[in-house]
Amino acid sequence: MITYSDIYDATRKEKYSEQLQELPKNFIYDFSEYMKEKKEMFSKEEDSFSDSNIKTKKQLENALTLFKELMLRRRKKILNLILVASEIGISKRDFDNMLDFEKELFEDLMKCLEKSDKNFIELLNGKAETFKNEMVSFKTDVEEFIGPDGEKLGGFKKGQIANLPSEIVEILVEDGKAERIEQ
């Protein structure tokens, strides 16, 4: 179980260090338990204006504020680590100091950055398509459907104009539901 002092110390260390600080692996769970315990203490008190109840409520508010600041600082450091890692790699110590959900965030964002870099290089090399979308006018009403990227598109009414991915336009035109608008 952690205490208010533990939360304060963790936030202070994170604030005054450039490196991502190590936290116990169960820190989030322990914080959650700490908050539950304080809320129970607060709700059990008969007199909501007693000194101990006011102190418990204030400590609860302060602990939550400190925890939010701690998580925000850690997120900022992880984002900086992603930029550094994309150029020169990441130190094992920085990665080891991440909590499990932070490691997952780091890995997901690294994949996004790598994909973005790949697309950027393709653009520089002239390999990207210049037109991926086309304008169409609908001949009939078309219900909502899923596009090639998994996003929801539509529904569309007769006469409505839309800018849609070329592969979708091809299907709509072949089915007689829409016609291309020449640009």
Side-chain angles (χ1 to χ4, degrees):
M1 189 68 154
I2 62 174
T3 64
Y4 178 82
S5 179
D6 295 331
I7 299 165
Y8 177 82
D9 287 342
T11 304
R12 184 181 49 77
K13 285 178 186 176
E14 204 68 57
K15 183 176 184 177
Y16 293 111
S17 172
E18 288 187 31
Q19 301 293 326
L20 194 62
Q21 298 299 298
E22 184 175 6
L23 291 175
K25 294 297 179 197
N26 56 349
F27 184 82
I28 305 296
Y29 174 78
D30 288 346
F31 177 77
S32 173
E33 290 298 312
Y34 170 84
M35 294 298 284
K36 284 180 194 173
E37 181 182 295
K38 290 293 181 185
K39 285 178 183 176
E40 285 175 11
M41 286 175 56
F42 181 71
S43 65
K44 284 182 183 177
E45 283 284 327
E46 297 293 322
D47 181 12
S48 61
F49 296 107
S50 71
D51 287 343
S52 66
N53 210 6
I54 291 171
K55 182 180 176 182
T56 300
K57 182 180 180 187
K58 189 66 176 171
Q59 196 174 56
L60 187 69
E61 291 170 357
N62 289 343
L64 187 58
T65 300
L66 285 171
F67 182 77
K68 287 179 179 179
E69 180 181 349
L70 173 65
M71 291 296 109
L72 179 64
R73 288 186 183 280
R74 291 181 68 82
R75 231 179 254 142
K76 285 179 180 178
K77 288 180 182 181
I78 289 170
L79 289 172
N80 285 335
L81 285 172
I82 289 167
L83 293 174
V84 170
S86 71
E87 296 299 319
I88 60 173
I90 184 171
S91 77
K92 183 169 174 27
R93 187 181 85 208
D94 287 329
F95 195 73
D96 288 344
N97 286 347
M98 291 181 198
L99 298 172
D100 289 340
F101 77 94
E102 292 171 330
K103 288 178 182 177
E104 187 176 324
L105 171 68
F106 179 86
E107 290 169 354
D108 289 347
L109 290 175
M110 281 299 296
K111 287 176 187 173
C112 287
L113 192 58
E114 288 167 2
K115 181 180 177 187
S116 175
D117 286 347
K118 180 183 171 198
N119 290 341
F120 176 68
I121 289 169
E122 286 179 358
L123 278 172
L124 285 176
N125 293 329
K127 293 182 180 176
E129 290 181 39
T130 53
F131 269 147
K132 288 188 174 185
N133 287 359
E134 294 182 59
M135 295 291 288
V136 293
S137 174
F138 286 88
K139 294 179 176 179
T140 63
D141 290 351
V142 176
E143 292 183 20
E144 181 179 82
F145 57 91
I146 304 296
D149 295 334
E151 77 281 5
K152 291 181 181 179
L153 300 171
F156 298 102
K157 299 283 183 202
K158 181 180 179 178
Q160 189 174 356
I161 296 174
N163 188 14
L164 298 172
S166 297
E167 53 265 15
I168 298 291
V169 170
E170 192 64 39
I171 294 168
L172 291 169
V173 169
E174 285 178 14
D175 289 349
K177 295 181 178 180
E179 62 184 358
R180 286 185 176 89
I181 297 176
E182 300 302 322
Q183 297 177 353

